[in-house]
PDB file of all heavy atoms in Angstrom:
ATOM      1  N   SER A 168      -3.565  -9.468  28.796  1.00 94.00           N
ATOM      2  CA  SER A 168      -4.447 -10.301  27.968  1.00 94.00           C
ATOM      3  C   SER A 168      -3.797 -11.617  27.527  1.00 94.00           C
ATOM      4  O   SER A 168      -4.417 -12.403  26.815  1.00 94.00           O
ATOM      5  CB  SER A 168      -4.874  -9.518  26.723  1.00 94.00           C
ATOM      6  OG  SER A 168      -3.736  -9.150  25.980  1.00 94.00           O
ATOM      7  N   SER A 169      -2.564 -11.853  27.957  1.00 94.00           N
ATOM      8  CA  SER A 169      -1.841 -12.997  27.377  1.00 94.00           C
ATOM      9  C   SER A 169      -2.367 -14.356  27.835  1.00 94.00           C
ATOM     10  O   SER A 169      -2.189 -15.353  27.142  1.00 94.00           O
ATOM     11  CB  SER A 169      -0.349 -12.880  27.667  1.00 94.00           C
ATOM     12  OG  SER A 169      -0.148 -12.720  29.031  1.00 94.00           O
ATOM     13  N   THR A 172      -5.010 -15.025  25.354  1.00 97.00           N
ATOM     14  CA  THR A 172      -4.377 -15.198  24.032  1.00 97.00           C
ATOM     15  C   THR A 172      -3.809 -16.609  23.931  1.00 97.00           C
ATOM     16  O   THR A 172      -4.017 -17.315  22.940  1.00 97.00           O
ATOM     17  CB  THR A 172      -3.264 -14.154  23.819  1.00 97.00           C
ATOM     18  OG1 THR A 172      -3.828 -12.856  23.938  1.00 97.00           O
ATOM     19  CG2 THR A 172      -2.626 -14.303  22.443  1.00 97.00           C
ATOM     20  N   GLY A 202       9.583 -18.419  21.552  1.00 97.00           N
ATOM     21  CA  GLY A 202       9.204 -17.237  22.312  1.00 97.00           C
ATOM     22  C   GLY A 202       8.502 -17.628  23.593  1.00 97.00           C
ATOM     23  O   GLY A 202       7.408 -18.187  23.553  1.00 97.00           O
ATOM     24  N   LEU A 203       9.167 -17.367  24.713  1.00 97.00           N
ATOM     25  CA  LEU A 203       8.633 -17.772  26.015  1.00 97.00           C
ATOM     26  C   LEU A 203       8.295 -16.549  26.852  1.00 97.00           C
ATOM     27  O   LEU A 203       8.579 -16.486  28.042  1.00 97.00           O
ATOM     28  CB  LEU A 203       9.654 -18.662  26.723  1.00 97.00           C
ATOM     29  CG  LEU A 203       9.946 -19.972  25.967  1.00 97.00           C
ATOM     30  CD1 LEU A 203      11.214 -20.645  26.492  1.00 97.00           C
ATOM     31  CD2 LEU A 203       8.753 -20.913  26.075  1.00 97.00           C
ATOM     32  N   GLY A 204       7.708 -15.563  26.181  1.00 94.00           N
ATOM     33  CA  GLY A 204       7.291 -14.342  26.871  1.00 94.00           C
ATOM     34  C   GLY A 204       5.921 -14.531  27.484  1.00 94.00           C
ATOM     35  O   GLY A 204       5.560 -15.623  27.928  1.00 94.00           O
ATOM     36  N   LYS A 205       5.133 -13.460  27.458  1.00 91.00           N
ATOM     37  CA  LYS A 205       3.842 -13.499  28.148  1.00 91.00           C
ATOM     38  C   LYS A 205       2.929 -14.597  27.593  1.00 91.00           C
ATOM     39  O   LYS A 205       2.304 -15.330  28.343  1.00 91.00           O
ATOM     40  CB  LYS A 205       3.169 -12.124  28.041  1.00 91.00           C
ATOM     41  CG  LYS A 205       3.928 -11.029  28.800  1.00 91.00           C
ATOM     42  CD  LYS A 205       3.164  -9.744  28.880  1.00 91.00           C
ATOM     43  CE  LYS A 205       3.034  -9.027  27.559  1.00 91.00           C
ATOM     44  NZ  LYS A 205       4.324  -8.558  26.998  1.00 91.00           N
ATOM     45  N   VAL A 206       2.848 -14.714  26.262  1.00 96.00           N
ATOM     46  CA  VAL A 206       1.954 -15.715  25.684  1.00 96.00           C
ATOM     47  C   VAL A 206       2.585 -17.108  25.747  1.00 96.00           C
ATOM     48  O   VAL A 206       1.956 -18.072  26.195  1.00 96.00           O
ATOM     49  CB  VAL A 206       1.590 -15.374  24.219  1.00 96.00           C
ATOM     50  CG1 VAL A 206       0.675 -16.450  23.646  1.00 96.00           C
ATOM     51  CG2 VAL A 206       0.913 -14.013  24.136  1.00 96.00           C
ATOM     52  N   CYS A 224      12.336 -22.268  22.549  1.00 98.00           N
ATOM     53  CA  CYS A 224      13.530 -21.418  22.522  1.00 98.00           C
ATOM     54  C   CYS A 224      13.133 -19.976  22.826  1.00 98.00           C
ATOM     55  O   CYS A 224      11.959 -19.604  22.719  1.00 98.00           O
ATOM     56  CB  CYS A 224      14.225 -21.496  21.161  1.00 98.00           C
ATOM     57  SG  CYS A 224      13.288 -20.716  19.838  1.00 98.00           S
ATOM     58  N   ASP A 225      14.112 -19.209  23.217  1.00 97.00           N
ATOM     59  CA  ASP A 225      13.938 -17.776  23.429  1.00 97.00           C
ATOM     60  C   ASP A 225      15.316 -17.139  23.359  1.00 97.00           C
ATOM     61  O   ASP A 225      16.318 -17.807  23.630  1.00 97.00           O
ATOM     62  CB  ASP A 225      13.270 -17.496  24.801  1.00 97.00           C
ATOM     63  CG  ASP A 225      12.685 -16.089  24.880  1.00 97.00           C
ATOM     64  OD1 ASP A 225      13.464 -15.124  24.861  1.00 97.00           O
ATOM     65  OD2 ASP A 225      11.449 -15.964  24.938  1.00 97.00           O
ATOM     66  N   VAL A 226      15.364 -15.873  22.981  1.00 95.00           N
ATOM     67  CA  VAL A 226      16.660 -15.188  22.935  1.00 95.00           C
ATOM     68  C   VAL A 226      17.038 -14.627  24.304  1.00 95.00           C
ATOM     69  O   VAL A 226      18.179 -14.220  24.515  1.00 95.00           O
ATOM     70  CB  VAL A 226      16.657 -14.038  21.898  1.00 95.00           C
ATOM     71  CG1 VAL A 226      16.595 -14.584  20.477  1.00 95.00           C
ATOM     72  CG2 VAL A 226      15.510 -13.064  22.155  1.00 95.00           C
ATOM     73  N   ASP A 227      16.085 -14.620  25.216  1.00 95.00           N
ATOM     74  CA  ASP A 227      16.311 -14.018  26.535  1.00 95.00           C
ATOM     75  C   ASP A 227      16.657 -15.104  27.559  1.00 95.00           C
ATOM     76  O   ASP A 227      15.827 -15.972  27.851  1.00 95.00           O
ATOM     77  CB  ASP A 227      15.023 -13.273  26.935  1.00 95.00           C
ATOM     78  CG  ASP A 227      15.118 -12.649  28.310  1.00 95.00           C
ATOM     79  OD1 ASP A 227      16.222 -12.684  28.908  1.00 95.00           O
ATOM     80  OD2 ASP A 227      14.091 -12.139  28.801  1.00 95.00           O
ATOM     81  N   CYS A 261       5.725 -17.548  18.737  1.00 97.00           N
ATOM     82  CA  CYS A 261       5.150 -16.698  19.792  1.00 97.00           C
ATOM     83  C   CYS A 261       6.093 -15.552  20.140  1.00 97.00           C
ATOM     84  O   CYS A 261       6.191 -15.132  21.301  1.00 97.00           O
ATOM     85  CB  CYS A 261       4.840 -17.535  21.035  1.00 97.00           C
ATOM     86  SG  CYS A 261       3.512 -18.725  20.777  1.00 97.00           S
ATOM     87  N   ALA A 262       6.838 -15.081  19.116  1.00 95.00           N
ATOM     88  CA  ALA A 262       7.739 -13.952  19.373  1.00 95.00           C
ATOM     89  C   ALA A 262       7.495 -12.884  18.307  1.00 95.00           C
ATOM     90  O   ALA A 262       6.467 -12.220  18.325  1.00 95.00           O
ATOM     91  CB  ALA A 262       9.182 -14.430  19.393  1.00 95.00           C
ATOM     92  N   MET A 263       8.401 -12.782  17.345  1.00 88.00           N
ATOM     93  CA  MET A 263       8.339 -11.703  16.375  1.00 88.00           C
ATOM     94  C   MET A 263       7.575 -12.100  15.112  1.00 88.00           C
ATOM     95  O   MET A 263       7.374 -13.284  14.843  1.00 88.00           O
ATOM     96  CB  MET A 263       9.768 -11.291  15.969  1.00 88.00           C
ATOM     97  CG  MET A 263      10.704 -11.093  17.123  1.00 88.00           C
ATOM     98  SD  MET A 263      10.032  -9.977  18.363  1.00 88.00           S
ATOM     99  CE  MET A 263      10.318  -8.408  17.557  1.00 88.00           C
ATOM    100  N   ALA A 283       1.017 -17.391  18.248  1.00 97.00           N
ATOM    101  CA  ALA A 283       0.449 -16.101  18.641  1.00 97.00           C
ATOM    102  C   ALA A 283       1.029 -14.909  17.910  1.00 97.00           C
ATOM    103  O   ALA A 283       0.389 -13.855  17.848  1.00 97.00           O
ATOM    104  CB  ALA A 283       0.671 -15.889  20.135  1.00 97.00           C
ATOM    105  N   ALA A 284       2.239 -15.026  17.382  1.00 95.00           N
ATOM    106  CA  ALA A 284       2.917 -13.846  16.844  1.00 95.00           C
ATOM    107  C   ALA A 284       2.074 -13.179  15.758  1.00 95.00           C
ATOM    108  O   ALA A 284       1.430 -13.853  14.952  1.00 95.00           O
ATOM    109  CB  ALA A 284       4.276 -14.232  16.281  1.00 95.00           C
ATOM    110  N   ASN A 285       2.092 -11.850  15.759  1.00 91.00           N
ATOM    111  CA  ASN A 285       1.384 -11.090  14.725  1.00 91.00           C
ATOM    112  C   ASN A 285       2.208 -11.064  13.445  1.00 91.00           C
ATOM    113  O   ASN A 285       3.438 -11.072  13.496  1.00 91.00           O
ATOM    114  CB  ASN A 285       1.175  -9.649  15.203  1.00 91.00           C
ATOM    115  CG  ASN A 285      -0.072  -9.520  16.054  1.00 91.00           C
ATOM    116  OD1 ASN A 285      -1.145  -9.982  15.666  1.00 91.00           O
ATOM    117  ND2 ASN A 285       0.061  -8.902  17.212  1.00 91.00           N
ATOM    118  N   ASN A 311      -4.602 -15.607  17.389  1.00 97.00           N
ATOM    119  CA  ASN A 311      -4.238 -14.777  18.553  1.00 97.00           C
ATOM    120  C   ASN A 311      -5.348 -13.811  18.977  1.00 97.00           C
ATOM    121  O   ASN A 311      -5.091 -12.858  19.713  1.00 97.00           O
ATOM    122  CB  ASN A 311      -2.918 -14.047  18.310  1.00 97.00           C
ATOM    123  CG  ASN A 311      -3.011 -12.986  17.220  1.00 97.00           C
ATOM    124  OD1 ASN A 311      -4.075 -12.483  16.920  1.00 97.00           O
ATOM    125  ND2 ASN A 311      -1.861 -12.625  16.660  1.00 97.00           N
TER     126      ASN A 311
HETATM  127  P1  LIG B 428       6.616 -10.782  24.918  1.00 93.83           P
HETATM  128  O1  LIG B 428       7.437  -9.601  24.553  1.00 93.83           O
HETATM  129  O2  LIG B 428       6.128 -10.931  26.322  1.00 93.83           O
HETATM  130  O3  LIG B 428       7.393 -12.138  24.566  1.00 93.83           O
HETATM  131  C1  LIG B 428       8.091 -12.334  23.392  1.00 93.83           C
HETATM  132  C2  LIG B 428       9.232 -13.295  23.723  1.00 93.83           C
HETATM  133  O4  LIG B 428       9.881 -13.642  22.507  1.00 93.83           O
HETATM  134  C3  LIG B 428      10.279 -12.690  24.649  1.00 93.83           C
HETATM  135  O5  LIG B 428      10.562 -13.577  25.716  1.00 93.83           O
HETATM  136  C4  LIG B 428      11.488 -12.514  23.728  1.00 93.83           C
HETATM  137  O6  LIG B 428      12.723 -12.649  24.423  1.00 93.83           O
HETATM  138  C5  LIG B 428      11.272 -13.635  22.745  1.00 93.83           C
HETATM  139  N1  LIG B 428      11.951 -13.472  21.456  1.00 93.83           N
HETATM  140  C6  LIG B 428      12.237 -12.334  20.776  1.00 93.83           C
HETATM  141  N2  LIG B 428      12.870 -12.622  19.624  1.00 93.83           N
HETATM  142  C7  LIG B 428      12.982 -13.964  19.572  1.00 93.83           C
HETATM  143  C8  LIG B 428      13.536 -14.861  18.630  1.00 93.83           C
HETATM  144  N3  LIG B 428      14.103 -14.417  17.496  1.00 93.83           N
HETATM  145  N4  LIG B 428      13.491 -16.192  18.896  1.00 93.83           N
HETATM  146  C9  LIG B 428      12.916 -16.644  20.037  1.00 93.83           C
HETATM  147  N5  LIG B 428      12.368 -15.839  20.973  1.00 93.83           N
HETATM  148  C10 LIG B 428      12.406 -14.512  20.745  1.00 93.83           C
HETATM  149  O7  LIG B 428       5.386 -10.770  23.884  1.00 93.83           O
HETATM  150  P2  LIG B 428       4.014 -11.565  24.022  1.00 93.83           P
HETATM  151  O8  LIG B 428       3.000 -10.684  24.642  1.00 93.83           O
HETATM  152  O9  LIG B 428       4.262 -12.923  24.562  1.00 93.83           O
HETATM  153  O10 LIG B 428       3.599 -11.654  22.482  1.00 93.83           O
HETATM  154  C11 LIG B 428       4.203 -12.611  21.622  1.00 93.83           C
HETATM  155  C12 LIG B 428       3.659 -12.392  20.209  1.00 93.83           C
HETATM  156  O11 LIG B 428       2.236 -12.578  20.228  1.00 93.83           O
HETATM  157  C13 LIG B 428       3.903 -10.999  19.644  1.00 93.83           C
HETATM  158  O12 LIG B 428       4.085 -11.099  18.248  1.00 93.83           O
HETATM  159  C14 LIG B 428       2.593 -10.282  19.929  1.00 93.83           C
HETATM  160  O13 LIG B 428       2.368  -9.222  19.020  1.00 93.83           O
HETATM  161  C15 LIG B 428       1.604 -11.397  19.721  1.00 93.83           C
HETATM  162  N6  LIG B 428       0.338 -11.198  20.452  1.00 93.83           N
HETATM  163  C16 LIG B 428       0.323 -11.076  21.789  1.00 93.83           C
HETATM  164  C17 LIG B 428      -0.881 -10.903  22.457  1.00 93.83           C
HETATM  165  C18 LIG B 428      -0.952 -10.785  23.955  1.00 93.83           C
HETATM  166  O14 LIG B 428      -2.066 -10.837  24.505  1.00 93.83           O
HETATM  167  N7  LIG B 428       0.154 -10.665  24.653  1.00 93.83           N
HETATM  168  C19 LIG B 428      -2.091 -10.835  21.726  1.00 93.83           C
HETATM  169  C20 LIG B 428      -2.053 -10.979  20.334  1.00 93.83           C
HETATM  170  C21 LIG B 428      -0.818 -11.154  19.710  1.00 93.83           C
END
Side-chain angles (χ1 to χ4, degrees):
S168 60
S169 54
T172 302
L203 297 165
K205 294 189 290 295
V206 179
C224 70
D225 198 293
V226 291
D227 178 6
C261 293
M263 312 308 283
N285 275 310
N311 68 23

